[in-house]
Structures are given as C-alpha cells and as structure tokens.
Amino acid sequence: MIDVDAGGGDRLALAVLAQYRMATTGQVHRVLAPSVRIEQTRRRLARLRAEGLVDRITLPQAGRTRVWFPTSYGVQLASEWPEMRGHRPSRTVSDPTAVRLKAGHTLTVTETALAFLEDARRRGDLFRPLDWIPEVHHPIGSGEAVIPDALMYYRRGPADGDNGVMLRAFVEVDRATMGPERLAAKLPAYERLYRYVPTIPGRRRPSIGQELEDWRWRYPLFPRVLFVLDGTGPAGIENRITALRAGAGQLAPSGFLHDVPVLAASLADLLHHGLSAPVWRPVHDPDQRVHWTRSAYRQT
C-alpha cells in the first residue's frame, strides 16, 4: 500500500469549510492542529485562498474577525471526494453577502461542533470533524421537512466500558433570535418525523402489509435530539427550557418522548463544564441533570 498524505491538512480544511459552511481562523485551527502555532493554519488558509478554493470576509464587529468559506470551485472539488459524497452544501455557501448575514448563527453552530470535537478528544471518544453534518433534509410529508442544524455521529470510547456504542443526534442550536414558542414548535416537527411513513410507489417493504417510518431507512434508532441554547442570560435560558417543557407536555400521549431522549443545555454550561458533564436537562423533566451520552433510550 502506498503511504502518501499529500496535502492532507489542506484537504481537511477545505472539507470542513465546505461542510460547515464557514469558520473563523481560530475555529479552523482548533479542528486541524490545535497543538501547533496558529500561524501554520493562517498560512494554510492563505494558500487555499491563492488557489481559489476558499475566500474570506472580515466582520466589522468582534475585533474584525476573519470568516472563511469555500468558493464555488472549492465546493465543486470537495464534493467529488468520497468522504463528502451525499453532503449537499447550501446554494449560497459561496456568496459573501449570505456568509455575512448568516455568520452569527452558523459560527455558533460551528462552535458547538468544536465543543463536541474537543470534548471527544479529551475523553478518547471517536468523533471526527466530518461526523458533524449540517442541515440534513428529512421530509415529513405535505412538502414539509425537518432540517436540524446538524446531524452528529459519535462513538463512545473504551472508557465507557460498552465497546464503543454509536450515538446519533439531531442538534438544534438556538441563539434566542426566535420566541420560545417557536423554539418549542420544533418538538411537534420531530414527533411527526418519528411517525412519518411516506407513500412511495415501488419502494420494497420488508413484508406484505408492514410499513416502516421513513427514518428507519437511515438510522437503526431515531437520533436523540439535543437543544443547545445561547444568546441570552440564565433567566432567558430558563424561559426557553420552560417553553420546551410545555411543548413536551403536549406530546406526552404520542410516546415520542418515551422513546427518544430529548435534552437541552446552555452553550455556556457546556463550554464551562464540558459536554459530557451532567448538565443536560430532559425536556420532559428539566429538574434532572444527565449526561447526553448516557441518556438511555427506553425502547424495547
């Protein structure tokens, strides 16, 4: 076997920008090479820019932060790689105006991904940068869809003593830009996805008369749902968790919350205590504090 890694760091940098949509210089550095000086990452990004694969804007606030994003050529190139097949970036991912207008939310989503990545590295869990896939489309009928901020694949490490169980999660990052009621309205959408059985002529069924929910064609278990709350103080966080709890109460008869862990936590708590700390609150009982990796399914 030929052992060649020509431009491996450049390749990962472009893949991350194509998949995550955008990242600051510091965020790219934390993905690629947190143990070396950031100047190496700056040189790498400058080289990719000179090759026409990435570009940048400078935000006027936050100390004139540079935000990097892929060019159309960069997206086209990255989409041909095996690790990127099936991942369709936004049509506006290479538009500087769209990047500027979406920067607040998208950079927070990227920061959340990095929080999971850094925690997994500390714990010895398996979570690679491309295991975070933003905005995966899940139809729920009538032309509607659930599009989480990210779908995450995460494997627990040997320290958990369970031979590396694979976890999947839908991640919703809320920056308090919408009212609490609109945030809570995401729960019925996930409940619809959990129950949704499409009518598709010609799709083979396992046996006559048996129907499968659409998500079962993608996942062995329905991914847990994680709400990461930011953009407001402690009182605002409590208001949003209260709204989620009220929304959960309306779903109680459906069984969705009995079958699927749905948890919420503030981004500030996650960054301060670590994502694997017991800071996650089940929306049906937010007085609890649990580990997101240990919050068990109750399916039988």
Side-chain angles (χ1 to χ4, degrees):
M1 184 175 73
I2 301 175
D3 185 12
V4 175
D5 184 24
D10 291 359
R11 180 181 177 119
L12 179 58
L14 177 58
V16 166
L17 288 174
Q19 187 153 301
Y20 287 32
R21 281 44 171 173
M22 67 183 79
T24 66
T25 306
Q27 288 175 332
V28 175
H29 180 68
R30 287 158 60 195
V31 172
L32 298 180
S35 61
V36 303
R37 293 173 63 86
I38 196 170
E39 283 75 15
Q40 180 174 318
T41 300
R42 292 194 179 105
R43 289 194 297 269
R44 186 186 304 280
L45 289 169
R47 181 168 60 250
L48 292 174
R49 188 182 187 215
E51 293 170 343
L53 296 169
V54 306
D55 206 347
R56 72 188 186 207
I57 63 169
T58 301
L59 299 180
Q61 67 275 23
R64 297 187 60 80
T65 299
R66 286 179 174 177
V67 177
W68 297 86
F69 58 94
T71 63
S72 298
Y73 174 46
V75 171
Q76 179 184 357
L77 178 61
S79 66
E80 298 174 356
W81 299 337
E83 63 268 33
M84 298 291 289
R85 286 177 188 155
H87 302 170
R88 292 184 292 181
S90 167
R91 288 174 293 182
T92 60
V93 68
S94 299
D95 180 77
T97 300
V99 170
R100 177 176 61 83
L101 295 176
K102 295 179 178 179
H105 178 75
T106 306
L107 291 177
T108 303
V109 175
T110 298
E111 187 65 26
T112 304
L114 288 171
F116 278 102
L117 179 64
E118 291 168 341
D119 193 66
R121 286 170 173 169
R122 287 190 294 267
R123 292 173 51 83
D125 294 346
L126 181 59
F127 174 59
R128 296 158 297 195
L130 298 183
D131 290 334
W132 179 273
I133 310 172
E135 298 180 2
V136 179
H137 186 275
H138 295 79
I140 56 176
S142 303
E144 298 181 66
V146 170
I147 307 175
D149 286 317
L151 166 67
M152 178 174 62
Y153 292 88
Y154 188 107
R155 187 179 296 277
R156 291 201 300 241
D160 288 291
D162 52 19
N163 297 319
V165 169
M166 171 62 76
L167 305 175
R168 300 164 188 83
F170 294 130
V171 182
E172 292 284 353
V173 178
D174 173 68
R175 297 179 60 245
T177 55
M178 65 177 71
E181 293 78 11
R182 286 184 59 194
L183 174 66
K186 292 179 180 287
L187 285 173
Y190 278 105
E191 196 261 351
R192 282 180 61 187
L193 175 60
Y194 184 68
R195 294 185 291 105
Y196 174 58
V197 178
T199 302
I200 303 178
R203 172 175 277 188
R204 183 178 62 85
R205 301 294 183 185
S207 61
I208 296 176
Q210 182 179 1
E211 294 184 335
L212 286 179
E213 295 84 358
D214 192 55
W215 64 265
R216 295 187 188 274
W217 296 90
R218 301 191 189 197
Y219 314 112
L221 289 174
F222 193 89
R224 59 199 66 209
V225 182
L226 306 178
F227 287 91
V228 177
L229 309 176
D230 193 34
T232 185
I237 295 293
E238 290 302 318
N239 287 339
R240 304 183 89 71
I241 290 178
T242 298
L244 286 170
R245 183 178 188 179
Q250 297 177 4
L251 298 182
S254 72
F256 170 69
L257 292 172
H258 182 273
D259 297 338
V260 179
V262 182
L263 311 173
S266 76
L267 181 58
D269 282 345
L270 298 180
L271 296 177
H272 181 71
H273 299 287
L275 281 86
S276 55
V279 295
W280 295 88
R281 301 166 67 175
V283 299
H284 68 281
D285 185 5
D287 292 332
Q288 291 189 54
R289 299 293 188 277
V290 300
H291 301 262
W292 84 269
T293 59
R294 285 296 182 184
S295 182
Y297 285 84
R298 288 170 285 180
Q299 292 174 285
T300 58

